[in-house]
């Protein structure tokens, strides 16, 4: 890699009539060219995305998939003044006041391993890959209904932050600027434990057993393990993972019109096929046969799908800029269909 960069730098210097690094100016240009060339090569990064609303006691180190885990990290961002009250309350609730004074035990974070260039922009390759994986994992957990869930109506959510560093250079920390709606959504994620019914025939007079955090979260993802292990080249996995991201975007959007469009795109990503035209009827049939049991239920689902796409068509073609009062129910229908499709497709993804 270094030899290739040096050769490229030498070619650039020769073309400009400077033999690097014989002169100070030529040396600087040669170094700049070599640095630029080295920056082209993908590098491994560890990216942390804070989940400030997830309150779990003690040490946390939970593997989610081959490249992601849930950890407690002391790499904290400076809290805004408005966050200090929440920080103090959390410290008093889960830890001692002295731990807060000493810097606290750290926040719960998603740690995601990525390969690619990372800088302060969320659109850089490494950051975009980390955000995509975070969306996929959180949406799968949301489909389970426990482990980690997105509390979109929370009024006490703190904003999240994102930071990365090269895996072999932990001192080289880069804070990544992410959009406000993304910070708010990551900040609204809560921990919800799973329950296991005990006793004969699943009944017990003392109630259900609450599973500890690691079991709650890993069991929530267990049904989707085949999908999470799929290779990047697997087109079926890519369709579902793309649908998960659109579902996440739909759930975090504060604009009902945009949420409806995101939900429809998510459905198309999963059920659609490339180069298809006039796909509404085909998608309606696929959705009906995937989710419906019996002719009556399939007809109801197909009819609901067509009505959703009528509203989508009005928005896309400029006949309506926002959802009317009688159209808002279509957003709920679209989200329900998208989540139902995702839940089934992701859970039934075949193991390779």
């Amino acid at each position: 890699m270094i030899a290739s960069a040096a050769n490229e730098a030498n070619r650039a210097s020769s073309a400009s009539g400077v033999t690097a690094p014989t002169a100070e100016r030529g040396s600087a240009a040669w170094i700049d060219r070599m640095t630029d060339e080295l920056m082209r090569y993908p590098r491994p990064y560890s990216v942390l995305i804070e989940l400030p609303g997830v309150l779990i006691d003690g040490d946390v180190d939970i593997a989610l998939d081959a490249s992601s885990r849930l950890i407690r990290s002391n790499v904290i961002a400076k809290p805004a003044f408005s966050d200090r009250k929440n920080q103090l309350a959390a410290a008093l609730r889960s830890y001692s006041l002295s731990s807060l004074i000493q810097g606290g035990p750290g926040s719960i974070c998603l740690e995601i391993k990525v390969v690619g260039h990372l800088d302060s922009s969320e659109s850089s390759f490494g950051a975009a890959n980390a955000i995509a994986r975070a969306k996929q994992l959180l949406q799968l957990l949301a489909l389970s209904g426990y482990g980690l869930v997105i509390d979109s109506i929370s009024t006490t959510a703190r904003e999240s932050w994102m930071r990365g560093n090269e895996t072999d250079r932990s001192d080289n920390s880069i804070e990544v600027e992410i959009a406000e709606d993304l910070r708010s959504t990551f900040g609204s994620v809560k921990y919800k434990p799973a329950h296991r019914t005990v006793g004969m025939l699943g009944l017990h007079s003392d109630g259900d057993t609450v599973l500890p955090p690691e079991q709650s979260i890993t069991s929530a993802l267990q049904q989707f393990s085949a999908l999470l292990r799929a290779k990047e080249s697997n087109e079926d996995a890519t369709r579902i993972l793309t649908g998960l991201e659109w579902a996440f975007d739909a759930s975090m959007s504060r604009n009902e019109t945009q949420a409806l469009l995101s939900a429809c795109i998510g459905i198309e990503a999963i059920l659609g096929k490339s180069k298809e035209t006039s796909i509404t009827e085909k998608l309606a049939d696929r959705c009906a046969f995937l989710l419906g049991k019996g002719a009556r239920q399939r007809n109801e689902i197909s009819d609901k799908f067509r009505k959703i796409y009528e509203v989508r068509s009005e928005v896309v073609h400029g006949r309506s800029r926002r959802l009317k009062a009688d159209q808002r129910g279509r957003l709920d229908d679209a989200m329900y269909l998208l989540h139902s499709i995702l839940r089934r497709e992701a859970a039934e993804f075949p193991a390779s």
Side-chain angles (χ1 to χ4, degrees):
M1 182 175 73
I2 293 175
S4 175
N7 288 336
E8 175 63 23
N10 281 324
R11 282 196 297 270
S13 297
S14 299
S16 61
V18 178
T19 303
T22 56
E24 183 177 350
R25 182 176 179 182
S27 178
W30 187 84
I31 292 172
D32 287 344
R33 174 68 70 167
M34 175 175 263
T35 301
D36 289 342
E37 184 65 19
L38 288 172
M39 289 293 288
R40 296 174 184 270
Y41 290 87
R43 291 174 291 167
Y45 284 90
S46 173
V47 177
L48 291 178
I49 299 175
E50 185 195 25
L51 303 178
V54 177
L55 302 177
I56 301 176
D57 295 344
D59 295 334
V60 175
D61 189 349
I62 304 171
L64 304 180
D65 64 12
S67 61
S68 311
R69 60 185 182 141
L70 198 69
I71 65 170
R72 188 182 300 283
S73 173
N74 283 306
V75 184
I76 60 173
K78 295 180 181 179
F81 181 78
S82 60
D83 286 339
R84 293 189 184 277
K85 181 178 179 181
N86 291 333
Q87 189 185 29
L88 176 61
L92 291 174
R93 185 163 54 246
S94 304
Y95 307 96
S96 65
L97 182 61
S98 62
S99 69
L100 178 67
I101 296 172
Q102 295 169 3
S107 303
I108 301 297
C109 299
L110 268 176
E111 182 188 53
I112 303 174
K113 304 289 187 181
V114 297
V115 176
H117 176 61
L118 182 82
D119 58 29
S120 60
S121 170
E122 68 174 273
S123 61
S124 62
F125 189 75
N129 280 350
I131 291 172
R133 198 55 167 179
K135 288 181 178 181
Q136 294 160 8
L137 289 168
L138 291 173
Q139 190 61 49
L140 284 173
L141 286 162
L143 292 176
S144 297
Y146 61 92
L148 300 179
V149 296
I150 302 171
D151 184 7
S152 58
I153 61 174
S154 175
T155 58
T156 59
R158 287 173 50 202
E159 290 192 337
S160 173
W161 54 264
M162 180 173 171
R163 183 166 291 159
N165 60 267
E166 294 178 60
T167 52
D168 56 350
R169 292 182 59 192
S170 58
D171 60 317
N172 183 26
S173 181
I174 302 171
E175 185 164 359
V176 181
E177 295 289 338
I178 54 178
E180 180 183 355
D181 53 358
L182 201 54
R183 294 199 306 268
S184 298
T185 305
F186 285 148
S188 70
V189 176
K190 310 288 185 185
Y191 167 64
K192 182 179 179 180
H195 293 74
R196 175 187 293 153
T197 304
V198 296
M200 185 177 294
L201 301 178
L203 303 175
H204 196 285
S205 58
D206 295 332
D208 296 343
T209 300
V210 178
L211 295 179
E214 182 170 1
Q215 289 186 39
S216 292
I217 294 170
T218 54
S219 64
L221 288 175
Q222 181 61 37
Q223 60 185 314
F224 309 122
S225 58
L227 174 65
L228 293 173
R229 289 197 303 268
K231 297 179 179 179
E232 291 184 10
S233 58
N234 189 309
E235 293 183 2
D236 289 331
T238 299
R239 289 189 298 104
I240 300 170
L241 294 172
T242 301
L244 287 167
E245 291 182 54
W246 283 110
F248 184 95
D249 290 345
S251 67
M252 78 176 186
S253 178
R254 299 175 183 176
N255 183 300
E256 289 181 329
T257 305
Q258 186 58 53
L260 177 70
L261 293 178
S262 294
C264 289
I265 295 172
I267 293 173
E268 292 171 15
I270 304 168
L271 299 182
K273 295 181 180 178
S274 61
K275 299 182 180 179
E276 278 189 331
T277 58
S278 303
I279 64 172
T280 302
E281 291 299 319
K282 295 178 182 178
L283 292 180
D285 288 343
R286 289 172 191 163
C287 186
F289 277 89
L290 180 66
L291 302 178
K293 296 179 180 179
R296 181 177 179 180
Q297 194 175 63
R298 287 171 184 154
N299 286 336
E300 290 175 352
I301 293 173
S302 182
D303 184 58
K304 184 177 294 185
F305 187 95
R306 291 186 184 93
K307 290 178 179 178
I308 291 170
Y309 265 66
E310 286 176 6
V311 178
R312 171 194 178 277
S313 180
E314 288 187 18
V315 173
V316 170
H317 296 294
R319 294 194 295 271
S320 177
R321 293 188 60 186
R322 59 186 60 85
L323 299 185
K324 302 171 186 175
D326 61 341
Q327 294 176 332
R328 287 174 181 157
R330 300 304 169 208
L331 172 57
D332 295 334
D333 291 342
M335 292 298 293
Y336 173 77
L337 289 180
L338 176 56
H339 288 168
S340 298
I341 294 167
L342 281 170
R343 192 176 289 110
R344 177 162 179 175
E345 290 285 276
E348 296 182 1
F349 189 83
S352 56

